[in-house]
Amino acid sequence: ISICRDLPNIEVITFSVNGISDLEPLNQCQNLSELYLRKNNIASLNELFYLKNLPRLRVLWLSENPCCGSDPHRYRMTVLRNLPSLQKLDNQAVTEEELSQALVDGEEITAPPARSVENGCPESTESSAAESTTETESELLNFSLEETNKIREELGMKPVPRDKFSSFSPRETDCNRKKRNNVLNAILLLMKELDVEGLEIIQQTVGRRLQAFRKKELQEE
């Protein structure tokens, strides 16, 4: 998600099921209008502090994160109190009545969350263990494929077939798989910032690289 620091004009971000816990890289994305972060490791609603100054944010999908807690009403009211410009939260339309009620029932967030420094894969042992009990490899793949193809559709590209996307080794760790998905999503997001000339350069480079891979596969056979 750190790639977003270099994408101030990005409008739509889809990073569901990616072990994300820190929203600070998004606070400069002033044109962001849609943000999809389902099933990540966002532990505190204080992360909303980084979204409060995004004037165009209208759609947020934050469900199935630890920060949602056990009280759905308090969670929704707190999000809407701090992000009153939202039109849709967790795929549910926001009403004027909810926005008024949020001023009473929601908690005002005035500071970013306290953060501890971790190394390696950006998710704690506890959250990894919790996720492993609720997410199967198939579910992770479905979410990643869905979000990737959403971005490709927005870019006018053909969707990735499932048999081409599911080339991960079954022994590959969740951390490595998510990193690879993050790289793919980052590349697709960066492509949205390019003009025709830049996209043509990418196309030529990818074509040469694909030819090299195919040549190598034929030699190995």
Side-chain angles (χ1 to χ4, degrees):
I1 193 172
S2 61
I3 189 68
C4 295
R5 293 192 181 97
D6 300 321
L7 299 172
N9 296 319
I10 195 70
E11 297 179 7
V12 178
I13 294 177
T14 58
F15 275 151
S16 296
V17 197
N18 269 294
I20 292 168
S21 59
D22 176 11
L23 300 186
E24 184 274 333
L26 303 177
N27 66 356
Q28 298 299 319
C29 299
Q30 293 294 299
N31 289 331
L32 186 63
S33 62
E34 298 181 29
L35 178 59
Y36 301 90
L37 292 168
R38 294 172 292 162
K39 295 191 176 183
N40 278 286
N41 294 330
I42 301 169
S44 171
L45 285 176
N46 281 21
E47 294 289 341
L48 296 175
F49 178 82
Y50 299 116
L51 307 181
K52 294 182 68 171
N53 294 320
L54 303 183
R56 301 186 179 183
L57 187 61
R58 297 293 181 267
V59 177
L60 175 65
W61 203 330
L62 193 61
S63 63
E64 298 174 87
N65 275 278
C67 65
C68 298
S70 58
D71 187 342
H73 177 74
R74 177 185 174 278
Y75 153 71
R76 189 172 177 87
M77 292 295 99
T78 296
V79 174
L80 295 182
R81 176 165 181 173
N82 291 278
L83 303 174
S85 296
L86 287 181
Q87 296 176 353
K88 185 176 287 189
L89 173 60
D90 297 337
N91 207 32
Q92 182 178 342
V94 175
T95 66
E96 290 295 332
E97 292 78 7
E98 283 184 309
L99 291 174
S100 298
Q101 191 64 36
L103 296 174
V104 178
D105 296 345
E107 178 183 344
E108 180 72 16
I109 294 172
T110 59
R115 207 177 304 286
S116 59
V117 178
E118 296 180 1
N119 296 320
C121 187
E123 51 186 305
S124 66
T125 303
E126 180 181 354
S127 60
S128 297
E131 184 178 72
S132 66
T133 61
T134 58
E135 293 290 329
T136 64
E137 281 196 11
S138 177
E139 286 174 322
L140 285 169
L141 176 60
N142 287 337
F143 275 110
S144 299
L145 180 59
E146 174 188 346
E147 300 293 355
T148 297
N149 280 338
K150 176 180 174 62
I151 297 173
R152 292 177 68 90
E153 181 181 357
E154 291 167 359
L155 293 171
M157 302 168 65
K158 293 181 180 180
V160 180
R162 182 182 175 84
D163 61 336
K164 298 295 184 182
F165 195 84
S166 57
S167 59
F168 304 113
S169 166
R171 297 180 181 178
E172 189 173 27
T173 66
D174 283 348
C175 183
N176 288 337
R177 181 174 59 249
K178 288 174 185 175
K179 285 181 180 178
R180 189 180 297 184
N181 285 343
N182 285 342
V183 170
L184 175 60
N185 283 330
I187 291 171
L188 292 173
L189 288 168
L190 283 169
M191 286 175 61
K192 196 172 183 180
E193 301 290 310
L194 296 176
D195 56 14
V196 173
E197 182 180 358
L199 289 171
E200 287 177 347
I201 294 173
I202 293 293
Q203 184 181 37
Q204 293 169 6
T205 303
V206 171
R208 289 194 295 269
R209 189 157 178 78
L210 283 172
Q211 288 179 356
F213 273 121
R214 287 166 182 161
K215 183 177 180 180
K216 182 179 179 181
E217 290 176 352
L218 290 174
Q219 290 174 345
E220 290 176 349
E221 290 178 357

